[in-house]
Amino acid sequence: MLLGKKKQIVGLDIGSSAVKLVELKPGRGGRMSLLHAGIAQLSPEAIVEGTVMDSSLVVEVAGRLIRERGVKNQNFGVSLAGMNVAIRKIQVPAMSEAELAESIHWEAEQYLPFDVNDANLDYVVLETGPETMTVLVVAAKKERVADYTSILTQLGKTPALVDIDAFAVQNAYEYNYGMPEDRVVALVNIGAYLTNVNILGRGQSVFWRDIVFGGNNFTEAIQRELHVTREQAEAIKVGEKVGDVSPQTVYGIISAVAQDFSEELKRTFDFFYTTSAHDRVEEIVLSGGSAQLLNLDQVLKERFVVPVEIMNPFKEVAYSETEFPPEWLNRHAPAMAVAVGMALRTVGD
């Protein structure tokens, strides 16, 4: 992928609280270079629980970001998560590629939480045995796909890719850290509304789940406890000084919510253990806009007694420090993981 002459895709991660943009270009030896990167805050009413409520506002914010960064590439990708997406690993009778293409809709229908006729479906064969084969099926509601690709169309861009958040994060992780062959790693991408969990088990992705818990939970707790506006709570959450609120008070609120988050994560891990051959997550890698919240990584370290790292999706990406000051890049890097994962892909992937 990295050495070919295919056209790169601009990753446009349209989240509940911000729009993130990343464009990469292949460099020497297959190493990617950072061409464009940016982030713009989005009003909370624009996208609610993964549903686009105000497309004109999203188009306005994304369009301004694209213009400010001077992006010329017409090929863009977007990504989905949550109730709009289903990821299933299924067993089907061994058959030819042509037979599978004909029967996959019927096979997948039994496992999807929504009508297969209302979904866009993709699949890949993971293993083939003498009698059965294991197939990874990904389905996304057509309505939601249309909502997000319509934003690209309104921007005058070509929708070249519709990705899944969990897989985009995995793509960014693999490029920068490699696929772990000797341990079980949980990629935990914490957005404003949702947290995507993708567990890598000794060389492959083995478990996926989205948790309805994210940065908004921390914001709402700060609002409730300190009697401040949402805007003030967002500022406090990222360490800004607001009024006479003490750092110790903020620390206590965030730590309490982080404990609740760790319990949600534990329930997800416990379910993973009951449905797989693995009985322990050996490392947690955080990404997303809320990954750097005060003390969150420490709470998770103590709760699970494993190493916890905050992902840098630009770790192995070359960039100009003049164009991208390290301080800015380090502050926003974890939030860029999904956009980087998409930007690593090419047209036709």
Side-chain angles (χ1 to χ4, degrees), residues 41-60:
Q41 297 306 307
L42 197 59
S43 299
E45 66 271 13
I47 295 180
V48 179
E49 298 183 2
T51 301
V52 179
M53 306 299 289
D54 189 340
S55 62
S56 61
L57 181 55
V58 178
V59 170
E60 178 188 338

Side-chain angles (χ1 to χ4, degrees), residues 6 60 69-70 72 81-82 97 99 128 172 181 183-184 197 200 248 250 252 254 267 271 289:
K6 290 184 177 180
E60 178 188 338
R69 294 300 179 269
K72 304 301 182 187
E97 187 175 324
E99 289 172 328
T128 301
E181 299 288 343
R183 64 197 189 284
V184 178
V197 179
L200 311 179
Q248 291 81 6
V250 177
I254 291 179
R267 280 192 280 271
F271 182 71

